[in-house]
Amino acid sequence: MLPAALEEGRERSTSAHRWKQCPRDPVPPSAQPFLEQIENSVEALQDYGISVVKVNCPKEDVSRYCGKENALRKAYLFRGNILIREFPTDALFDVNSIVANVLFALLFNEVKYVETLADLQNIENSLKGRSNMVFAYVPATGTAEHRAVMEAAFVYGTAHQFVLTTEATLMKDTGNGEPDVSSAQLFFCHCQQAMDLAQPCRRTPMEQALTMLNIHRHLKLMGAPLVTEVAEDPEKVSTVHLQLGLPLVFILSQKETYEADRRTAEFVAWQLLGKAGVALLSRDVVDLNVLLQSNVALKTPDEGVPIKYLVLEDTDEVITLVKDKSKFEQIQEDEDEEDEDEKENDNQDIQDDQVVEAVSRDRKRELPLEQILTLTEETFHSAMLEAARMVVLFYASWEAVSLAVLRSYVEVASHLKGTQGVLLSQVNCWDWPGVCTKENITQFPTIKIYEKGGRSLTYNGMLGTEELASFIILSQVSCPLKLATIDEAEGYLRGELPSELSSYHHSSVLGVFSKATSVAREAFVEAGNILSGHVTLGMYFEDDSLALSHKYAVSPPALLLARSRDQSVEGIPLSKQSAQDIVQLIRYELLDVFPEITVQNLPHYLQLRKPLLIMFSDGDIGQMESKEMLKLAKGRPQQAFVTCWLNLKNTPVGYGVLKAYFATVPSLPVLVWVNLHTGGQVFKFPPDQSVTEMNILSWLEKLKAGLEIPISTLSEEDWKPPLPAYNFLQMMETTVPEFTLHTSYSRRDTQEQQQPESSEEKATVREEQLEESRVEAEKGQTPGRDLRGTAPRLAGREKRHSEL
């Protein structure tokens, strides 16, 4: 069976060809092997429009050929009545040699044979800007490789110029390293793109064995677009590379960096030509969250294998990924793992800060900041007028916690995408210290919300994505929210909140006041200002407030707590009426009765300075245990301890806690009593007893009486880093431009000691640097060596984690 392209190539045969051999009767034994091979070649030659004819000289009047000397040792090739070539039969020893030599003779004017490097270069020069070239080396003619080249030339000769050589010295002179001249080789020469005679033709070698099928596959790949631009889900994309069993690499882009991304994609495509396809995928067109977290994707031809999304630093890693996947995976492992031996031998290498460690580990990760506005000294004040609420992250690009929070900030921006009236922005205080000084930024990172009109709100909560997003959403509504009628108050308790809080499903607090409780009402308003963005507070102080409070068995001033989980409303008297007391009471009451401990909420419960009765489980706890623990938690109004549980699947750090308590992880679930604030003793509930309220209370009485032995005692030493903190001010060099050191000196002393550049000078320097970079690129530097253009920068000045 021939490839489809070979069927098309038959059309090139415009006249019949005949192949004659003139035996005498009887046939000598020396000619018998050749006659057998020529008969075996009949079908192969017919595919190219060549007929095989055998002439019996004693019977046929062809004395012109039969009468010649050594007639039985020759064969003849005709086009019509014109003799094209005669062949010695000892050169036609099998089917491959017959087909190769016949096609070579037929395509004599189309397939150029070269012997020297000068001949090859002359042909290349004549093709530059016009056509591409297929250059093949075979150690000898008449071989299977020679036949494959000639068959390919018959099919593709009108599309590409074919050049053949058998000269080993020519292969060595072409400058392709140390070629193996004992095996056949084929190169696709991209001369059509070389518009200048001084520009050499790129050569892409075919790395597979030289067969007709492999040549056809190689030429198909060479004819495919160098870079394919796609605008759909990568899972749906199919290219000739995937169809031929090769992977497809996606370089992720956006409109702001399109030109740089295109150059990067072309550079990668040239390096992987014949090994993988390269596509340029725009994040602006395809709305997939995973694209915002990656800059490269890899799709394999294997069915059922998901696309692998990656964050790579440079094109070398992309090329390694395709050429040597095992080596790439090893590189990734080496980057993520620390050398234990070095840590033991050199204490200075200990990374004592987990935040710094995490940032260092992910330093190559690019952050998609296209949804976050970058502010400068020139744009800060005008930007405050663009949205009803402007959220600003003030950070320092060299500081680890800032970079960690910046990741959460990016996730918040994605979560709040499309929220009306809210715009997220950032200020790098290392670049723009003047802005941060005017806004009284004394620590990094700091997050503030500016309302249109002047009021600002500073965020002091946990720096995780969920907590920060909740703060921004809640801050859109007045705190406290004043309700005008008792129906509005009742609706508020049922969860009928303003439209801005439609996605908010947490407990709400309603303060109920009478006209005579103005002092408590003013303290509640002040508490609302403190808690703004953290909780939902409502306030009702109309004439019928007494009726509303009596419905829930309290009298004004009082709090009504509406828990979203069980849709219950609880009345809480306001015995203390200062703002700080109200804040503390609200925070305490909003804590869950039987909470699941997580990294995020643990500080809230530790602030109570109470012992913890905590059940560790590998998943959800059983229904019976949950019911008994909840009864225990609700059973005592003034509980002296916190009843809680920890799901190790949701909070894997719990395994480390258990190892600290037990040395090894015990069988789960396990109920533990620990008092972190007094003594640090850890007790384990007897595993042979069922977890019931009565059994737990009996066990706690034994603990109180000193009848139980602790399984371990936690150290009383402070949790301090093993090494002293870095003194950044001492380490910095004051001579470096743009370094503005804020110390305790007076303004006058500071001005005398340092004279920072003005904004205009900085801008001029930056423009000059950009211009120098552009000129260098135009001088011929290889573009696209790194993936800087494929993902948004950390800030306007394009700093990356690896540069900090």
Side-chain angles (χ1 to χ4, degrees), residues 404-420:
V405 172
L406 192 55
R407 299 179 194 172
S408 299
Y409 200 60
V410 169
E411 294 172 359
V412 170
S414 177
H415 179 73
L416 298 180
K417 183 179 180 181
T419 302
Q420 294 293 326

Side-chain angles (χ1 to χ4, degrees), residues 121-353:
Q121 290 175 340
N122 288 336
I123 295 175
E124 279 191 347
N125 290 337
S126 66
L127 295 174
K128 287 178 180 178
R130 298 190 302 106
S131 180
N132 296 317
M133 180 177 77
V134 179
F135 173 50
Y137 162 77
V138 293
T141 59
T143 59
E145 292 83 1
H146 183 207
R147 173 184 174 180
V149 173
M150 300 316 302
E151 288 179 326
F154 187 88
V155 177
Y156 296 101
T158 56
H160 312 297
Q161 174 65 62
F162 278 73
V163 177
L164 179 70
T165 187
T166 57
E167 301 295 329
T169 55
L170 174 56
M171 285 302 300
K172 295 177 181 179
D173 292 341
T174 54
N176 295 310
E178 291 294 330
D180 179 13
V181 295
S182 63
S183 59
Q185 300 175 48
L186 184 139
F187 301 86
F188 187 90
C189 304
H190 307 267
C191 296
Q192 192 170 12
Q193 296 184 353
M195 307 306 293
D196 189 346
L197 286 178
Q199 182 182 356
C201 299
R202 288 177 180 262
R203 293 176 183 171
T204 303
M206 188 181 78
E207 298 183 354
Q208 293 76 27
L210 212 159
T211 66
M212 177 56 191
L213 190 59
N214 285 340
I215 296 175
H216 169 73
R217 179 176 179 271
H218 189 66
L219 296 182
K220 272 284 199 183
L221 293 172
M222 297 302 103
L226 182 65
V227 175
T228 305
E229 296 198 21
V230 296
E232 60 179 326
D233 189 334
E235 294 286 358
K236 301 177 182 178
V237 173
S238 178
T239 65
V240 65
H241 304 87
L242 293 171
Q243 297 164 9
L244 294 176
L246 296 179
L248 180 63
V249 176
F250 293 91
I251 303 295
L252 308 186
S253 176
Q254 60 272 328
K255 60 183 179 181
E256 294 85 358
T257 59
Y258 171 79
E259 294 299 332
D261 300 340
R262 177 77 192 188
R263 291 194 297 270
T264 298
E266 290 176 354
F267 176 81
V268 172
W270 279 116
Q271 302 303 309
L272 296 179
L273 197 57
K275 303 178 183 67
V278 176
L280 192 62
L281 175 61
S282 174
R283 297 185 184 93
D284 303 315
V285 178
V286 182
D287 187 16
L288 291 176
N289 287 335
V290 69
L291 300 183
L292 301 177
Q293 303 163 9
S294 314
N295 59 1
V296 172
L298 179 67
K299 184 175 184 178
T300 64
D302 305 319
E303 291 187 9
V305 178
I307 293 179
K308 188 173 183 180
Y309 293 93
L310 304 163
V311 179
L312 304 183
E313 182 178 11
D314 53 42
T315 53
D316 290 341
E317 291 187 357
V318 182
I319 296 165
T320 302
L321 174 67
V322 173
K323 290 185 177 180
D324 189 353
K325 187 178 294 185
S326 62
K327 182 178 179 181
F328 173 80
E329 292 173 352
Q330 184 61 44
I331 291 173
Q332 293 293 86
E333 292 176 6
D334 292 343
E335 291 177 349
D336 293 342
E337 296 177 358
E338 293 185 22
D339 191 330
E340 296 296 332
D341 294 336
E342 286 188 7
K343 288 168 64 179
E344 293 178 3
N345 296 335
D346 187 358
N347 287 334
Q348 292 300 317
D349 286 342
I350 295 176
Q351 185 54 271
D352 55 89
D353 190 319

Side-chain angles (χ1 to χ4, degrees), residues 87 109 183 246 284 291 358-359 376 391 503 516 528-529 538 755 787:
F87 302 91
N109 292 323
S183 59
L246 296 179
D284 303 315
L291 300 183
V359 171
T376 67
V391 185
S503 61
N529 292 332
Q755 297 179 358
L787 299 177

